[in-house]
Amino acid sequence: MTEDGYPTALGASSRESITLLGTDLARDVMGTVGFGELAFWLATQRRPTPGETRVFEAVLAALADHGFTPTAIVTRLTWLSAPDSVQGALAAGLLGGGSRFLGVTEDCGRFLHDVLVSAGELPADDAGWDALALETVTAQRAAGRFVPGLGHHVHKDGDPRTPRLFEIAGEEGLVGPHLSLFAAIGRVHPQVLGRTLPLNGAGVCGAALADLGLPLELLRGFALLARTAGLIGQLAEELRHPVANRVFLSVDLDNRSVPPDPYEPETLGGSHG
């Protein structure tokens, strides 16, 4: 233990009370502070404004559930295998939050932030944002890299979450530089790519969270927080209307035996054997 102990501004308990973020948990938080507001407060150690809470909770709602995604399927299948382990089923689904599902929220927020930091002075109007976005998309295309948050495997004509989150942020006066750049990318990318792709919901959520000043390193954590609620819903439905066994059997009964396909490591130039 250090000389000053282990300082924390979060939860602490005494025999008589529990404090949280400098307040009395039982008296000042329970029944007064909503869970979304509390999650924001815990991450930033400042209480959000009502507008910030509304945008933040809109993001959580947008990311809570998106149907039979791999994260939902693996949660149901893990529950099928180990019904005694709710935590295992939830953890299995959360561990699948990566670059293709859920992780896009963090990837997009970080990408936009890096562009803004490199740009230095921020644009003053839509024309300036479009110019920065055009430069950004062109550079990504030249480097053979995708723009995080651009495109969706289902919502090819537009992700319905995206305009709604822009609308909510606009109503609360919280469209900041990350959302502004993301919107501009949506306007100009066809000039570079030769086709129009939607700005997806995970990407716009990352932009909105970054504009709220939340830690970039934790953006995926907020996506996982939201998806936890969705996975609990998946398990609750699995209890009443199970599909996991059918998913398992559809694969197990449809397997076919094939000859082995031995792995061959890549031959390195100049190797002698």
Side-chain angles (χ1 to χ4, degrees):
M1 185 176 72
T2 66
E3 183 178 341
D4 297 327
Y6 301 98
T8 177
L10 302 176
S13 301
S14 69
R15 185 165 182 166
E16 296 81 19
S17 66
I18 304 172
T19 59
L20 182 65
L21 296 161
T23 67
D24 184 281
L25 173 65
R27 186 183 67 244
D28 300 326
V29 178
M30 294 171 60
T32 301
V33 180
F35 181 72
E37 179 182 0
L38 181 59
F40 188 111
W41 195 357
L42 286 166
T44 62
Q45 298 198 12
R46 67 172 182 84
R47 193 164 184 176
T49 66
E52 289 173 326
T53 299
R54 184 180 179 221
V55 172
F56 182 66
E57 292 186 344
V59 168
L60 297 182
L63 298 174
D65 185 78
H66 208 48
F68 283 114
T69 60
T71 59
I73 293 170
V74 75
T75 290
R76 288 185 184 237
L77 288 173
T78 304
W79 173 265
L80 174 67
S81 180
D84 52 320
S85 179
V86 173
Q87 70 272 25
L90 292 175
L94 295 177
L95 288 171
S99 59
R100 293 184 178 177
F101 290 89
L102 296 176
V104 176
T105 296
E106 178 180 322
D107 295 343
C108 186
R110 281 177 173 268
F111 171 75
L112 296 170
H113 190 76
D114 288 344
V115 172
L116 293 169
V117 170
S118 298
E121 186 175 351
L122 299 181
D125 53 27
D126 283 350
W129 284 114
D130 286 356
L132 178 58
L134 188 60
E135 178 185 337
T136 299
V137 178
T138 300
Q140 288 294 102
R141 177 67 179 273
R145 295 190 294 263
F146 293 109
V147 176
L150 191 57
H152 195 282
H153 69 290
V154 175
H155 305 299
K156 297 186 181 299
D157 297 320
D159 190 321
R161 297 170 295 177
T162 300
R164 180 56 177 151
L165 192 51
F166 270 111
E167 181 181 28
I168 293 170
E171 290 170 354
E172 300 299 336
L174 292 171
V175 175
H178 299 85
L179 281 170
S180 295
L181 177 57
F182 196 52
I185 288 173
R187 293 192 295 267
V188 308
H189 76 269
Q191 300 176 41
V192 180
L193 304 184
R195 58 186 177 133
T196 300
L197 298 172
L199 296 175
N200 63 53
V204 75
C205 286
L209 291 174
D211 273 347
L212 289 175
L214 292 162
L216 297 174
E217 298 84 355
L218 299 181
L219 296 191
R220 187 177 303 187
F222 298 116
L224 295 174
L225 171 66
R227 189 52 57 92
T228 299
L231 295 180
I232 290 173
Q234 292 283 337
L235 289 178
E237 186 174 77
E238 181 68 21
L239 285 170
R240 293 175 288 118
H241 306 288
V243 300
N245 196 54
R246 274 191 289 152
V247 173
F248 156 60
L249 290 177
S250 70
V251 177
D252 186 55
L253 298 180
D254 196 39
N255 73 80
R256 58 188 179 87
S257 182
V258 298
D261 181 18
Y263 168 74
E264 295 183 6
E266 181 181 358
T267 301
L268 302 177
S271 294
H272 301 280

